[in-house]
Amino acid sequence: MKKLINSPGSVVDDALVGLAAAHPALAVDFERRVVSRAVCPAGPKVALVSGGGSGHEPLHIGFVGPGMLDAACPGELFTSPPPDRILAAAQAADSGAGVLFVVKNYTGDVLNFRLAAELAAEQGHRVATVLVDDDVAVRDSAAGRRGTGATVVVHKTCGALAERGAALEEVRELGERVVAASRSFAVALAAGTNPETGRPGFDLAEDEIEVGVGIHGEPGRRRERLRPANELAATVVDAVLEGNRPGPGDRPIVLVNGLGATPLIELYVVCAAVTARLAEHGVTPARTLVGSYVTSLDAAGFSLTLTAADRLMLELWDAPADTPALVRA
Amino acid sequence: MKKLINSPGSVVDDALVGLAAAHPALAVDFERRVVSRAVCPAGPKVALVSGGGSGHEPLHIGFVGPGMLDAACPGELFTSPPPDRILAAAQAADSGAGVLFVVKNYTGDVLNFRLAAELAAEQGHRVATVLVDDDVAVRDSAAGRRGTGATVVVHKTCGALAERGAALEEVRELGERVVAASRSFAVALAAGTNPETGRPGFDLAEDEIEVGVGIHGEPGRRRERLRPANELAATVVDAVLEGNRPGPGDRPIVLVNGLGATPLIELYVVCAAVTARLAEHGVTPARTLVGSYVTSLDAAGFSLTLTAADRLMLELWDAPADTPALVRA
Amino acid sequence: MTHRTLDTALAEAWIRTAAAAVEDAERHLTALDTAIGDGDHGSNLRRGFTAVLAALDAPPEGGFESPGALLRTVGSTLTAKVGGASGPLYGQAFRAAGAELPPDADPAACADALAAGLAAVRALGGAEPGDKTLVDALAPAVDALRAAAETGATLARATAAAADAAERGARDTTPLQARRGRASYLGPRSTGHQDPGATSAALLLRALADAAAR
Amino acid sequence: MTHRTLDTALAEAWIRTAAAAVEDAERHLTALDTAIGDGDHGSNLRRGFTAVLAALDAPPEGGFESPGALLRTVGSTLTAKVGGASGPLYGQAFRAAGAELPPDADPAACADALAAGLAAVRALGGAEPGDKTLVDALAPAVDALRAAAETGATLARATAAAADAAERGARDTTPLQARRGRASYLGPRSTGHQDPGATSAALLLRALADAAAR
Ligand SMILES: Nc1ncnc2c1ncn2[C@@H]1O[C@H](COP(=O)(O)OP(=O)(O)O)[C@@H](O)[C@H]1O
Ligand SMILES: Nc1ncnc2c1ncn2[C@@H]1O[C@H](COP(=O)(O)OP(=O)(O)O)[C@@H](O)[C@H]1O
Ligand SMILES: [Mg+2]
Ligand SMILES: [Mg+2]
Ligand SMILES: [Mg+2]
Ligand SMILES: [Mg+2]
């Protein structure tokens, strides 16, 4: 294991120190591991709070700022934060118009955010939750589909709507519509290595890939031979469109996302391949975002997220944002 | 070699197709490999043109847009583009106020841009050049120091000054001052693999790092044992400050840059370590940028760039920009 | 001396034994979780029990007022410190069990408390027996404890029976296909591996039996 | 038939022989460049000579008017297609040599043309002999060609002497520490490796000698 770290146990805390150093617009509570905006919104607005295990950066800490999240609560690597940390984030974020929890659908996140919501309600916060479950690689699990790339679309669109002064229920409802319109699927060339264990989540041969992989080193649906980007893109596009073809009025938002160790030039190659395959399906993206936004430590590979956006979603996707990882002028 | 590509020979062209698909604000001439702004500046302004070998993305193609470059000319992987491609970029960019070439100091880049400048002058373009040579790992070479991270600072500040309507000579002069104020140094945990050869630029043992490495797989000054991020940061900070301590009036801009396969969480760990070591030297960064901006295919590791900026440079660093890789509101 | 009832001293002995067992088993639990999860179950529980030991070392003025109070502290500490799936599940289980536990619980009362813990897990996580979760260790343990209590077994024997049943339950998760938690994403590929959570649940019950036997 | 002068036919034969030699040596040149550069010298030259062959296959109406015109086309094609350091260096060298070359060059005129090519390389790249660059193959080749011409050698013998000298020059770059080009970044670590550019320069001169001997 080769990593730029000091010790496995200090990665999250050290990274938060670096985040705070680079981004004076963020307030970082190191004790409770809460990242929030240094300058609070002028008046009350619905506060967006998200979090989950660390190791997926820039998700979520890199999306705190005007136009997106009000606070993020990063947990240990790949481990959702406990309820009191989530509660602390809600407290830091609530400006009087209620708090929306954006939760990726993993058992740990679901349970901890649920307990946190109860605690927050006891303290008088109004809390609503959007559960993100876009990863179609998962089938037949009573736990449901995992939450991955669509989280970014929810953060961006719900964040913009909240900034416009919409009410909690309205923002939650938008989030649910975005989730319903979103599908993701991922392929890994190499698993990430959790520094705590020092071992990759799974081992792949030099010519093997993991198809339908999760962002915590969860192995995927199946193992295959590495193929050219065009073929991989076809597999992934087809999986994402299966049973969820965007309708005629939809303006698809496409996210071509790197898993952490994927160079940008490869993501652009994938983007070309994805765009071509979508065209074969008659789907023309309205917007395409390329970069590493929802990562899995140093895993190599990519995920594709497609949101069959309506006009409002697209407008909110284009709205201003000013966060470490996503800025819109 | 595991890569998301179609074939070694098609990587650059495929990536340009992906870039064009994702960024409608860019015009991409696939034939001549020129990336320029789809919407030309309103009136004549000094045009910034940069380029060099591919494999360093987002440099340079990701920095085309308002506030930064007017055109970029990517060459083959790690190979500077020939003069006529550079000329084509100058032609696409020149809006009547002259063209500034921003050239990284490598023999190939220097020679091809020099020939291109002659061709452009023959065609009536006014051309000036800024040579970026910030990499202090290089000593005693008649070819001089390499150009790396400072290129981003030159693109950003000169781009902003050009946007303000400054004259060619003024923009060039700023570029030279930025270069003079900038120093970089890099450490690799793993070399990048050029798909044409299928082999990493150099091989490192599981506990080895390359200190003072270049961005084309050039081996560095020496090979060392992997050490904790705090210690590596100390080595790198000390190298960058050697003989170039920022003065009392300086407002240092710091770039903590990933080499292509470095996860963001590790860059934030490094950022914390760099900030702490700078503080030990009495240096307080005015701005810190963390991310993968000047990469070396899928190399793992980081580089540090420090620009001892004056007030004007800082103001220009903060000015608006709207490019694929760097947006300032 | 064998304990006849689950008093505060035994509760503390149990938890300290459990903490030591978790420490010993950390790598094993993480290895199980690497196979079908995300490789952190061992470190999650270690982090939790380290905090639990700290809480036991700084008891309220005058000590814990009852074994139930002690277990409730264990539960809220686990909930507050572990995160992940197992944090709230174990946390709420200990809180619910602690709330149910009378001051000097005989085996039957212990069975009721464990049943309350199980109910909390099922209420929170929604898992059915056979879903390849910690329910598959806890549910047979409740049954075994209750059955032993009905035959008038000592606490030591009854908890040993519960631990045996939990271990069997954990072992029997191996052929199962997971339907809850992270392992469920693997679908059929989740079979052939023992569930980490069921394994740690059995370990906690074995720690109780060991403490009760001392 | 051995050629007495460097006419257009021999110029074309030279370049086609060189293109084939570059193709054969691609991996070797790239391997040399991997050791002390960025591992692309072979593919750079292959790309260049592929374009050069295309240019030869589509000559101007009525054919190239002179060997000098042909070499100028080779030069501008290399400059336009190769990029990197070697593209402009070889490109400008062929252009300068072509500009100097009379229609039917004897060995002495060839030496002058090669000297013009060398001068172009040095003017553009600033390398001195001993800097571990293609100058270290070209400079001794110019001297050998001129010396052979002065003794009245045939073109075949004179160019063979030039190729021998270039190969020696290339081999002698091995112990040198590079002071120009990418290898110079390695400082003392650049010693012990033969320079890729000097190697390809020798290869180009060997192609000339081979063509002249046919
Ligand atoms: N819904 C659930 N109900 C009961 N137990 C569950 C449930 N989901 C997961 N578990 C248990 O949690 C264990 C994993 O715990 P842990 O690795 O600490 O959390 P995470 O899955 O968040 O990384 C699984 O082995 C399983 O026994
Ligand atoms: N300044 C220079 N003058 C003469 N030759 C040079 C100079 N710089 C580099 N070279 C030659 O170029 C060769 C490398 O060419 P190539 O690998 O194609 O270009 P690059 O270094 O841009 O990748 C070196 O081996 C050296 O012989
Ligand atoms: Mg976990
Ligand atoms: Mg090169
Ligand atoms: Mg786990
Ligand atoms: Mg080279």
Side-chain angles (χ1 to χ4, degrees):
Chain A
M1 177 186 71
K2 261 181 170 173
K3 286 183 187 289
L4 296 165
I5 62 172
N6 289 303
S7 71
S10 71
V11 174
V12 176
D13 289 326
D14 289 348
L16 286 177
V17 172
L19 182 84
H23 303 290
L26 298 181
V28 180
D29 176 340
F30 299 104
E31 195 60 48
R32 300 191 293 176
R33 285 195 183 152
V34 172
V35 177
S36 59
R37 303 189 194 177
V39 178
C40 297
K45 69 169 264 296
V46 168
L48 259 71
V49 170
S50 194
S54 292
H56 309 303
E57 291 65 28
L59 194 76
H60 299 271
I61 55 176
F63 294 127
V64 176
M68 294 186 76
L69 300 182
D70 293 84
C73 41
E76 296 290 328
L77 293 171
F78 290 175
T79 303
S80 33
D84 56 338
R85 302 295 176 87
I86 302 169
L87 174 65
Q91 289 166 334
D94 194 347
S95 59
V99 180
L100 184 71
F101 284 170
V102 182
V103 181
K104 301 196 298 305
N105 187 34
Y106 299 93
T107 306
D109 290 298
V110 169
L111 300 186
N112 287 289
F113 272 91
R114 190 188 303 163
L115 294 180
E118 287 169 14
L119 295 175
E122 282 168 21
Q123 297 195 0
H125 298 280
R126 274 197 305 137
V127 176
T129 297
V130 170
L131 197 65
V132 186
D133 64 344
D134 52 318
D135 188 344
V136 292
V138 177
R139 292 189 282 218
D140 314 322
S141 162
R145 298 192 304 225
R146 298 176 292 229
T148 63
T151 319
V152 179
V153 189
V154 173
H155 288 358
K156 180 68 189 71
T157 54
C158 289
L161 190 62
E163 223 70 57
R164 287 186 180 181
L168 179 58
E169 186 48 33
E170 217 179 322
V171 183
R172 189 193 62 74
E173 191 261 356
L174 171 75
E176 301 209 322
R177 289 200 302 112
V178 170
V179 170
S182 298
R183 297 289 184 278
S184 297
F185 194 93
V187 167
L189 310 194
T193 295
N194 189 328
E196 294 276 4
T197 64
R199 299 267 323 123
F202 47 85
D203 291 300
L204 289 172
E206 182 52 40
D207 65 342
E208 267 181 345
I209 60 172
E210 192 74 41
V211 177
V213 73
I215 55 170
H216 304 89
E218 302 102 323
R221 273 193 200 173
R222 59 183 184 273
R223 211 156 269 201
E224 290 185 6
R225 281 279 154 78
L226 177 61
R227 290 176 291 147
N230 286 338
E231 293 178 29
L232 293 182
T235 300
V236 171
V237 165
D238 295 356
V240 163
L241 289 184
E242 198 186 315
N244 186 48
R245 200 163 289 272
D250 293 331
R251 317 282 321 269
I253 295 170
V254 169
L255 169 59
V256 176
N257 174 64
L259 296 186
T262 311
L264 188 56
I265 192 170
E266 294 184 32
L267 289 181
Y268 277 123
V269 170
V270 170
C271 176
V274 161
T275 308
R277 182 61 168 195
L278 284 171
E280 285 173 28
H281 283 283
V283 177
T284 310
R287 301 289 183 276
T288 304
L289 181 65
V290 179
S292 293
Y293 294 101
V294 181
T295 63
S296 177
L297 291 167
D298 52 354
F302 75 99
S303 66
L304 172 69
T305 299
L306 192 143
T307 302
D310 60 24
R311 239 231 284 260
L312 173 66
M313 293 177 198
L314 208 65
E315 203 180 293
L316 296 168
W317 179 251
D318 291 339
D322 198 358
T323 73
L326 199 64
V327 182
R328 288 280 158 74
Chain B
M1 178 186 69
K2 262 184 170 173
K3 286 183 187 290
L4 296 165
I5 61 174
N6 289 302
S7 71
S10 71
V11 174
V12 176
D13 289 326
D14 288 348
L16 286 177
V17 172
L19 182 83
H23 303 289
L26 299 181
V28 180
D29 176 341
F30 298 105
E31 194 60 47
R32 301 191 294 175
R33 284 194 184 154
V34 172
V35 176
S36 59
R37 304 188 194 176
V39 178
C40 297
K45 69 169 266 295
V46 169
L48 259 70
V49 171
S50 195
S54 292
H56 309 303
E57 290 65 27
L59 194 76
H60 299 273
I61 55 176
F63 294 126
V64 177
M68 294 185 77
L69 301 182
D70 293 83
C73 40
E76 297 289 328
L77 292 171
F78 290 175
T79 303
S80 33
D84 56 338
R85 302 296 176 86
I86 303 170
L87 175 65
Q91 288 166 335
D94 195 347
S95 58
V99 181
L100 184 71
F101 284 171
V102 182
V103 182
K104 301 196 298 303
N105 187 34
Y106 299 93
T107 305
D109 290 298
V110 170
L111 301 186
N112 287 290
F113 272 91
R114 191 188 301 163
L115 295 179
E118 287 169 13
L119 296 175
E122 283 168 21
Q123 297 196 358
H125 298 280
R126 275 197 305 137
V127 176
T129 297
V130 171
L131 196 65
V132 186
D133 64 344
D134 51 317
D135 188 343
V136 293
V138 177
R139 293 189 282 216
D140 314 321
S141 162
R145 297 192 304 224
R146 299 176 291 230
T148 62
T151 319
V152 178
V153 188
V154 174
H155 288 358
K156 180 68 189 70
T157 53
C158 289
L161 190 62
E163 222 70 58
R164 286 186 181 181
L168 179 58
E169 186 47 35
E170 217 179 322
V171 183
R172 189 194 60 75
E173 191 260 354
L174 171 75
E176 300 210 322
R177 289 200 301 113
V178 169
V179 170
S182 298
R183 297 289 184 279
S184 297
F185 194 94
V187 167
L189 310 193
T193 295
N194 189 328
E196 294 277 3
T197 64
R199 299 266 322 122
F202 47 85
D203 291 300
L204 290 173
E206 182 51 41
D207 65 342
E208 267 180 346
I209 59 172
E210 192 75 41
V211 177
V213 73
I215 55 170
H216 304 88
E218 303 102 322
R221 274 193 199 171
R222 58 183 184 273
R223 211 155 269 200
E224 288 185 6
R225 281 278 154 76
L226 177 61
R227 290 176 289 146
N230 285 339
E231 293 178 29
L232 293 182
T235 300
V236 171
V237 165
D238 295 357
V240 163
L241 289 184
E242 197 185 317
N244 186 48
R245 200 162 288 273
D250 293 331
R251 318 281 321 269
I253 296 171
V254 169
L255 169 59
V256 176
N257 174 66
L259 296 185
T262 312
L264 188 56
I265 192 170
E266 293 184 32
L267 290 180
Y268 276 123
V269 169
V270 170
C271 176
V274 161
T275 308
R277 182 60 167 196
L278 284 171
E280 285 172 29
H281 283 283
V283 177
T284 310
R287 301 288 183 276
T288 304
L289 181 65
V290 179
S292 293
Y293 294 100
V294 181
T295 63
S296 178
L297 291 169
D298 52 354
F302 74 100
S303 66
L304 172 69
T305 299
L306 192 142
T307 302
D310 61 22
R311 238 230 283 262
L312 173 66
M313 294 177 199
L314 208 65
E315 203 179 294
L316 297 168
W317 179 252
D318 291 339
D322 199 358
T323 73
L326 199 64
V327 182
R328 286 282 158 73
Chain C
M1 166 200 104
T2 52
H3 298 265
R4 308 186 128 194
T5 59
L6 180 52
D7 56 13
T8 307
L10 176 55
E12 178 160 354
W14 169 24
I15 299 306
R16 290 190 182 274
T17 308
V22 162
E23 175 118 27
D24 288 347
E26 177 183 346
R27 286 161 147 268
H28 176 57
L29 294 173
T30 286
L32 292 177
D33 195 35
T34 299
I36 54 171
D38 59 350
D40 61 1
H41 189 55
S43 55
N44 284 346
L45 287 191
R46 183 196 28 73
R47 186 171 60 254
F49 276 90
T50 302
V52 162
L53 287 182
L56 293 188
D57 289 342
E61 190 108 9
F64 290 99
E65 65 181 18
S66 68
L70 188 145
L71 293 190
R72 287 199 305 278
T73 295
V74 171
S76 44
T77 305
L78 291 177
T79 297
K81 295 296 173 186
V82 175
S86 58
L89 289 168
Y90 275 128
Q92 298 309 90
F94 273 102
R95 288 173 72 175
E100 185 70 23
L101 203 67
D104 281 280
D106 62 9
C110 285
D112 289 344
L114 189 59
L118 169 63
V121 168
R122 295 191 54 178
L124 192 60
E128 304 284 330
D131 281 356
K132 193 165 186 146
T133 69
L134 37 93
V135 167
D136 294 318
L138 291 180
V142 170
D143 293 344
L145 191 51
R146 190 161 280 148
E150 277 165 16
T151 65
T154 63
L155 187 62
R157 285 188 165 257
T159 52
D164 290 345
E167 283 168 2
R168 261 195 313 274
R171 266 199 310 278
D172 289 350
T173 61
T174 303
L176 297 176
Q177 174 168 337
R179 296 198 20 90
R180 289 279 172 184
R182 226 176 270 285
S184 67
Y185 305 141
L186 285 175
R189 290 169 76 183
S190 62
T191 60
H193 301 276
Q194 185 167 318
D195 180 59
T199 308
S200 61
L203 175 155
L204 295 181
L205 286 163
R206 178 59 63 198
L208 172 57
D210 287 350
R214 271 201 295 269
Chain D
M1 167 203 100
T2 54
H3 299 264
R4 304 181 131 202
T5 59
L6 180 51
D7 57 12
T8 307
L10 176 55
E12 178 159 354
W14 169 23
I15 299 305
R16 290 192 182 274
T17 307
V22 162
E23 175 118 27
D24 288 346
E26 178 184 345
R27 286 161 148 266
H28 176 56
L29 294 173
T30 285
L32 291 177
D33 195 35
T34 299
I36 56 171
D38 59 350
D40 61 2
H41 189 55
S43 54
N44 284 345
L45 287 192
R46 183 196 27 75
R47 185 170 62 251
F49 276 88
T50 302
V52 162
L53 287 182
L56 294 188
D57 289 342
E61 189 108 8
F64 289 100
E65 65 180 18
S66 68
L70 188 146
L71 293 191
R72 287 200 304 277
T73 295
V74 171
S76 44
T77 305
L78 290 177
T79 297
K81 295 296 173 185
V82 175
S86 57
L89 289 167
Y90 275 128
Q92 298 309 88
F94 273 102
R95 288 173 74 176
E100 185 70 20
L101 204 67
D104 280 281
D106 62 8
C110 286
D112 289 346
L114 188 60
L118 170 63
V121 168
R122 293 192 54 178
L124 192 60
E128 304 283 330
D131 281 357
K132 195 165 187 147
T133 69
L134 36 93
V135 167
D136 293 319
L138 291 180
V142 169
D143 294 344
L145 189 52
R146 189 161 279 150
E150 276 164 17
T151 65
T154 62
L155 188 62
R157 285 189 164 254
T159 52
D164 290 345
E167 282 168 3
R168 261 195 314 276
R171 266 199 309 277
D172 289 350
T173 61
T174 302
L176 298 177
Q177 175 168 336
R179 296 201 15 93
R180 290 276 170 185
R182 225 177 270 286
S184 67
Y185 305 140
L186 285 175
R189 289 169 77 183
S190 63
T191 60
H193 301 275
Q194 185 168 319
D195 180 58
T199 309
S200 62
L203 174 154
L204 296 181
L205 286 162
R206 179 60 64 201
L208 173 57
D210 287 350
R214 272 201 295 267

